[in-house]
């Protein structure tokens, strides 16, 4: 029980991301909605995700998500879906019969015990470090006016792509009050756009697809992760309709806190 006047990790995170909820609770609430509306159990759902390959996301992966089949990994640095259309089509072929698919995605950002965006305390370390390193190092390059060539190096293809995405929003980032938070927004928009584009081109061959776009927030090593959903949709591929469940999710989440 929270003591009166005490500040929890969630309070600090909600100063930056007002709609954030613990990741475990977010996944369980999503299951509740899916079960109520369509009667799917988690083990009938193939989960494909596109999140950053940073080990903190593996360590803080919500246990509830492991009830689904997966996850099929589509993401690389910063959560951008580098594995592309082939990954989405392949994941769709692995959906159990009479099953469904969840596609969750988004950039991540650390928020330390001091409430500082872009930082966290990692397991076994005595100082805070940057998170997401790909986004913050790319932002630093922009600030220092270092050249960002439009190359496709085999050695560093992914970070170059992240740099290119941020470079397109250079003026927005330079003017931002909180450049790391703003850069995370820019990445969310780029990832969301690419995921929608991949879904429109893909051969999902399943009726029910759940689409969950989020900012993934990493607390310190002893805190776990939090999700702020930005898009929560049911895509009925037979009727070609998309229905937002975000309002319903948020009102359920508020009742649970
Ligand atoms: Zn990262």
């Amino acid at each position: 029980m929270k003591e009166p006047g005490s500040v929890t990790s969630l309070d600090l995170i909600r100063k930056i991301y007002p709609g954030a909820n613990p990741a475990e609770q977010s996944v369980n609430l999503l299951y509740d909605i899916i079960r109520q509306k369509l009667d799917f159990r988690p083990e009938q759902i193939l989960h494909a995700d596109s999140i950053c390959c940073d080990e903190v996301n593996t360590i803080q992966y919500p246990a509830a998500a492991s009830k689904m089949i997966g996850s099929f990994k589509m993401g690389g640095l910063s959560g951008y879906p580098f594995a592309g259309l082939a990954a989405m089509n392949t994941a769709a072929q692995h959906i159990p019969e009479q099953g469904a698919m969840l596609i969750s995605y988004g950039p991540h950002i650390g928020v330390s015990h001091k409430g500082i965006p872009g930082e966290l305390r990692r397991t076994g370390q005595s100082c805070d470090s940057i998170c997401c390193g790909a986004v913050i190092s790319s932002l630093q390059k922009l600030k220092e006016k270092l050249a960002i060539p439009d190359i496709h190096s085999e050695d560093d293809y992914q970070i170059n792509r992240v740099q290119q995405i941020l470079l397109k929003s250079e003026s927005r980032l330079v003017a931002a009050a909180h450049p790391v938070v703003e850069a995370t927004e820019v990445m969310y928009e780029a990832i969301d756009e690419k995921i929608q584009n991949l879904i429109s081109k893909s051969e999902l061959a399943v009726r029910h697809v759940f689409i969950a776009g989020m900012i993934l927030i990493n607390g310190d090593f002893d805190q776990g992760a939090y999700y702020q959903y930005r898009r929560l949709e049911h895509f009925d591929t037979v009727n070609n309709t998309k229905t937002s469940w975000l309002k319903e999710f948020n009102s359920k989440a508020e009742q649970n806190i």
Side-chain angles (χ1 to χ4, degrees):
M1 177 65 86
K2 186 181 160 187
E3 307 228 337
S6 70
V7 177
T8 66
S9 169
L10 185 59
D11 293 332
L12 287 173
I13 284 160
R14 284 189 160 183
K15 282 187 181 170
I16 307 163
Y17 294 104
N21 293 290
E24 186 77 8
Q25 183 196 59
S26 300
V27 173
N28 281 322
L29 283 178
L30 179 56
Y31 286 158
D32 287 348
I33 295 174
I34 290 172
R35 190 168 48 239
Q36 282 165 13
K37 291 186 180 292
L38 295 161
D39 203 24
F40 282 113
R41 299 183 311 277
E43 57 269 27
Q44 293 177 287
I45 301 169
L46 187 286
H47 182 204
D49 71 26
S50 187
I51 59 175
C52 184
C53 43
D54 187 329
E55 85 290 336
V56 74
N57 290 332
T58 308
I59 294 167
Q60 297 183 347
Y61 210 75
S66 302
K67 291 182 188 168
M68 288 178 281
I69 300 162
S71 62
F72 190 111
K73 298 290 183 188
M74 296 193 300
L77 290 177
S78 178
Y80 196 79
F82 284 101
L85 194 55
M88 195 172 278
N89 283 336
T90 305
Q93 288 167 13
H94 301 171
I95 299 167
E97 291 162 19
Q98 315 303 322
M101 183 177 193
L102 168 65
I103 301 169
S104 60
Y105 59 89
H108 72 137
I109 179 170
V111 176
S112 72
H113 57 290
K114 296 172 198 147
I116 298 174
E119 293 187 7
L120 54 69
R121 184 70 55 89
R122 291 175 189 269
T123 307
Q125 296 194 346
S126 55
C127 295
D128 295 342
S129 62
I130 59 169
C131 177
C132 170
V135 171
I136 296 172
S137 67
S138 299
L139 191 60
Q140 195 57 31
K141 232 177 156 176
L142 282 184
K143 279 187 192 162
E144 291 173 11
K145 304 269 178 215
L146 297 174
I148 297 176
D150 187 7
I151 52 155
H152 299 283
S153 157
E154 281 186 24
D155 291 342
D156 256 335
Y157 166 71
Q158 292 194 7
I159 193 71
N160 181 257
R161 188 83 192 87
V162 173
Q163 290 164 359
Q164 293 294 337
I165 289 167
L166 295 185
L167 182 60
K168 273 195 217 153
S169 296
E170 186 175 16
S171 53
R172 174 178 164 188
L173 293 170
V174 168
H178 300 287
V180 175
V181 174
E182 198 64 25
T184 307
E185 294 297 319
V186 169
M187 285 311 304
Y188 174 77
E189 290 163 20
I191 295 167
D192 181 63
E193 186 182 351
K194 177 54 78 176
I195 289 281
Q196 305 316 317
N197 178 266
L198 292 175
I199 289 172
S200 72
K201 291 177 182 165
S202 62
E203 297 149 17
L204 295 175
V206 63
R207 178 166 186 180
H208 299 290
V209 180
F210 313 116
I211 304 170
M214 67 173 111
I215 306 288
L216 199 172
I217 303 137
N218 303 107
D220 288 333
F221 68 93
D222 56 351
Q223 294 295 330
Y226 303 82
Y227 291 171
Q228 188 191 54
Y229 283 128
R230 294 294 178 83
R231 181 195 290 271
L232 203 54
E233 283 177 349
H234 169 225
F235 177 25
D236 181 332
T237 65
V238 171
N239 293 324
N240 198 25
T241 54
K242 284 184 181 164
T243 309
S244 177
W245 290 349
L246 197 53
K247 248 180 148 175
E248 189 171 344
F249 176 91
N250 286 336
S251 84
K252 274 181 186 286
E254 276 314 301
Q255 289 163 20
N256 267 268
I257 291 289

